[in-house]
Amino acid sequence: MKRVQGKVAIVTGGASGIGLASSQLMAKEGAKVVIADYNLEGAEKAAQELVSQGFEAQAMFLDASKEESIKEVVEKTVEAYGTLNVMYNNVGGTNLKKDLDIVNMDMSEWDRGMKMNLDSVVYGCRYAIPHMIKAGGGSIINTASMAAFASDSVRTVYGASKAAVVQLTKYVATQYGKQNIRANAIAPGLILTPAAKNNLPEEMLHMFQKYNALAYHGEPEDIGYTVVFLASDESKFITGQTIQVEGGHYLANPTVPDMRELMAKKQ
Ligand SMILES: NC(=O)c1ccc[n+]([C@@H]2O[C@H](COP(=O)([O-])OP(=O)(O)OC[C@H]3O[C@@H](n4cnc5c(N)ncnc54)[C@H](O)[C@@H]3O)[C@@H](O)[C@H]2O)c1
């Protein structure tokens, strides 16, 4: 038996990066996956590839910042497959040109970031839960970020919205646990999605590497396997948690890497 055999799952932002890897891994582990994205072409390509390999997937258009759009995707999924077992609320992001420090940030970016990162998760939960109750339970997974825990000189709305996702996840877990609905979040550190690989300068990648406890960077599949675990019944006693998948980047006293360099120079 595959790990999420027969489960019906929606992945928001499933056309690229973390969402794409999670869609692929869940489909390969037996789920029927709806890849929901505003890049419909990318979502269709991803779904077709899975179907051509003998897995079950389909694409749907989604604008996750819009309540009606999430409602429609949930309803169309239930129409197509009869139920909903896994809701992976993964859409999120930031605009580095506008999401600055509290004084200088563009307030339109505050509104946009909150809608994209937090409201989208609220909508995903609101519309998935009634169907999960009918199904006898389900698993909600939300993508947070390590920015929820460690602050930054910029990215104010990103950090605040992702911190809210962590707390919202606990509320949902508390409110619907008795109906057999689990809610967990994943907080990725830097993950080398195609966009991150193309956009981050080499020096910045080295900087991240230096502060990771592990000797390598995170890949989209590292989040995808965590999603499969949280979607599956293997995690049936885990709820309200945020699993940090970040290579030990935030693990130790922050001076450790610099201290190592200093000691090496002194030898
Ligand atoms: N990559 C990282 O290092 C990293 C680190 C921490 C957290 N995260 C979080 O992981 C999640 C996925 O990030 P990623 O790096 O895979 O991003 P990505 O840009 O590779 O993929 C995001 C996907 O979401 C889609 N999308 C964006 N806005 C949408 C909307 N309003 N409605 C529907 N679809 C929309 C895009 O078309 C794209 O397919 C985000 O929530 C992000 O904040 C990423």
Side-chain angles (χ1 to χ4, degrees), residues 12-20 36-40 42-43 61-66 69 88-94 112 115-117 120 142-147 155 158 162 186-196 200 218 220 223 245:
T12 76
S16 160
I18 287 171
L20 175 61
D37 204 293
Y38 68 15
N39 171 9
L40 183 59
F61 174 79
L62 168 73
D63 181 348
S65 300
K66 298 210 168 88
S69 186
Y88 181 22
N89 298 305
N90 167 66
V91 162
T94 183
R112 194 196 73 93
K115 277 220 148 295
M116 182 186 197
N117 296 331
S120 64
N142 300 323
T143 303
S145 163
M146 287 307 294
R155 299 197 304 160
Y158 187 69
K162 293 293 192 180
I186 299 171
L190 176 68
I191 300 296
L192 288 192
T193 55
L200 289 181
I223 308 301
V245 185

Side-chain angles (χ1 to χ4, degrees), residues 94-107:
T94 183
N95 177 338
L96 288 173
K97 291 203 177 106
K98 293 182 171 177
D99 187 3
L100 304 174
D101 66 86
I102 190 92
V103 171
N104 294 299
M105 79 176 164
D106 185 330
M107 283 311 285

Side-chain angles (χ1 to χ4, degrees), residues 11-218:
V11 178
T12 76
S16 160
I18 287 171
L20 175 61
S22 304
S23 300
Q24 290 168 335
L25 289 171
M26 280 204 284
K28 287 175 187 175
E29 286 295 342
K32 298 166 190 173
V33 181
V34 171
I35 301 175
D37 204 293
Y38 68 15
N39 171 9
L40 183 59
E41 208 183 312
E44 277 171 345
K45 185 169 168 267
Q48 276 157 17
E49 233 170 79
L50 286 166
V51 170
S52 72
Q53 294 164 20
F55 305 113
E56 280 199 66
Q58 70 165 283
M60 284 188 199
F61 174 79
L62 168 73
D63 181 348
S65 300
K66 298 210 168 88
E67 184 166 2
E68 273 309 306
S69 186
I70 293 209
K71 184 172 182 248
E72 196 184 327
V73 165
V74 169
E75 281 170 4
K76 275 164 67 184
T77 301
V78 175
E79 252 171 57
Y81 297 108
T83 191
L84 177 62
N85 309 111
V86 178
M87 182 78 203
Y88 181 22
N89 298 305
N90 167 66
V91 162
T94 183
N95 177 338
L96 288 173
K97 291 203 177 106
K98 293 182 171 177
D99 187 3
L100 304 174
D101 66 86
I102 190 92
V103 171
N104 294 299
M105 79 176 164
D106 185 330
M107 283 311 285
S108 68
E109 179 57 16
W110 177 264
D111 295 339
R112 194 196 73 93
M114 280 293 174
K115 277 220 148 295
M116 182 186 197
N117 296 331
L118 179 59
D119 294 13
S120 64
V121 178
V122 173
Y123 303 148
C125 295
R126 267 169 80 77
Y127 291 106
I129 286 169
H131 293 289
M132 289 179 170
I133 292 174
K134 278 191 204 147
S139 174
I140 292 172
I141 305 159
N142 300 323
T143 303
S145 163
M146 287 307 294
F149 304 107
S151 53
D152 200 343
S153 51
V154 289
R155 299 197 304 160
T156 310
V157 65
Y158 187 69
S161 58
K162 293 293 192 180
V165 168
V166 169
Q167 188 66 1
L168 179 75
T169 303
K170 293 186 198 172
Y171 269 70
V172 173
T174 302
Q175 292 167 356
Y176 290 94
K178 294 286 193 239
Q179 278 107 319
N180 202 21
I181 294 171
R182 298 184 295 112
N184 292 287
I186 299 171
L190 176 68
I191 300 296
L192 288 192
T193 55
K197 262 188 211 157
N198 295 335
N199 296 333
L200 289 181
E202 206 45 36
E203 299 94 296
M204 213 179 271
L205 291 179
H206 283 309
M207 204 187 292
F208 270 92
Q209 187 71 77
K210 174 177 164 184
Y211 291 97
N212 281 356
L214 294 171
Y216 42 85
H217 290 294

Side-chain angles (χ1 to χ4, degrees), residues 209-230:
Q209 187 71 77
K210 174 177 164 184
Y211 291 97
N212 281 356
L214 294 171
Y216 42 85
H217 290 294
E219 307 277 352
E221 289 71 21
D222 293 314
I223 308 301
Y225 281 116
T226 314
V227 170
V228 171
F229 172 64
L230 290 174

